[in-house]
Amino acid sequence: MTAWLGALILAGVLATATLSGVFGMAGGLILMGLLTALLPVPAALAIHGLVQMASNASRIVLHLRHIVWRVVGFYAIGAVATMGAFIFISYTPTKAVVYLALGLLPIVVWLPEKYIPLDAARPPHAVLAGILSTAMALTSGVSGPLADLFLVRSVLTRHQVLSTKAALQMFSHLSKVLFYGGAILMAGGGGFTPPWLLVTACALAVVGVSLGSRVLDRLTDQGFRAWRRWIFTGIAAMYLVQAAILFARGA
């Protein structure tokens, strides 16, 4: 782990955590792409999970009173069941697969609600969200857009969406740390990941969320949903191009 690589990762963590502090997900998508470009996929998954756990934990603390715990409880049933099932599955995605998932998943924000009327406030839907989101996190590294599909179309306010999403995503990120955590030991391809890098990255994630929360308070619920769509669309286009390049090269 060279100094420049560590500095680039830390800068990316701060910038993307700030973006996540506003929109709850876009930062995580960008950070996953950055880590995948710089590190082996298992290490990228594990470090992303660790940093995002710190980021989500800080959002939980900042917006604790807005969390809809009933949704979290039913989501946890699906998430824990999926983690148990994956104990018997051995799979690690390639970089091309990760970029393809990063490009395709944000598109779900454009799916017409009348055709997919999902609502995390309904217990069966919350359980299904836990199953699908955890499975996607373990096979491609990302799951936020799926959780969003169940949240943003509900009657929840922007603060409830952000805080409840943070609590839900703790399960997805924890699963990555549990299943790919050993890869952190060899992050960068040649040695132990410096503990100071992991600690600093987690601290910067918390700082970024705090900065982003100030912007969130200035947004309206309508603006919050509109900006999310266009930001996710831009990110999706970028990753789909990258995935196409990697598949063309056979990577």
Side-chain angles (χ1 to χ4, degrees):
M1 180 70 68
T2 62
W4 75 266
L5 181 59
L8 185 58
I9 290 174
L10 292 178
V13 167
L14 178 60
T16 57
T18 301
L19 188 59
S20 285
V22 181
F23 296 105
M25 182 194 69
L29 281 170
I30 296 173
L31 180 61
M32 187 65 216
L34 174 64
L35 292 174
T36 301
L38 298 175
L39 303 169
V41 172
L45 288 167
I47 293 177
H48 183 268
L50 185 64
V51 171
Q52 290 299 102
M53 283 183 67
S55 177
N56 282 296
S58 64
R59 289 207 295 274
I60 289 173
V61 172
L62 285 172
H63 306 288
L64 185 63
R65 68 184 184 278
H66 298 292
I67 295 176
V68 183
W69 290 107
R70 183 168 178 267
V71 172
V72 177
F74 283 107
Y75 181 98
I77 294 173
V80 172
T82 302
M83 280 188 253
F86 266 77
I87 294 176
F88 306 99
I89 299 175
S90 178
Y91 171 78
T92 300
T94 64
K95 290 192 176 186
V97 169
V98 170
Y99 281 126
L100 181 62
L102 290 171
L104 290 177
L105 284 179
I107 295 176
V108 299
V109 300
W110 291 101
L111 295 177
E113 182 177 354
K114 63 180 180 180
Y115 297 125
I116 308 179
L118 299 174
D119 185 352
R122 300 171 63 181
H125 290 199
V127 174
L128 178 62
I131 293 172
L132 296 179
S133 296
T134 305
M136 285 303 301
L138 288 171
T139 56
S140 67
V142 290
S143 62
L146 276 177
D148 275 2
L149 193 62
F150 290 83
L151 287 170
V152 297
R153 294 176 178 181
S154 66
V155 296
L156 304 182
T157 67
R158 66 186 186 282
H159 285 91
Q160 288 177 321
V161 168
L162 190 75
S163 58
T164 304
K165 167 76 176 300
L168 302 185
Q169 286 298 96
M170 288 293 283
F171 292 95
S172 296
H173 298 310
L174 175 61
S175 70
K176 288 185 291 186
V177 173
L178 292 176
F179 280 82
Y180 299 107
I184 294 178
L185 300 178
M186 294 299 293
F192 184 77
T193 306
W196 65 264
L197 177 66
L198 300 177
V199 173
T200 305
C202 290
L204 289 176
V206 174
V207 172
V209 167
S210 179
L211 295 173
S213 66
R214 299 180 183 182
V215 179
L216 176 69
D217 290 336
R218 299 180 182 180
L219 287 177
T220 63
D221 287 338
Q222 294 77 15
F224 173 74
R225 287 173 167 80
W227 274 106
R228 283 167 67 94
R229 281 192 170 190
W230 289 110
I231 288 175
F232 296 161
T233 300
I235 294 172
M238 177 183 67
Y239 284 134
L240 287 176
V241 170
Q242 184 63 31
I245 294 173
L246 290 176
F247 277 115
R249 293 176 179 174

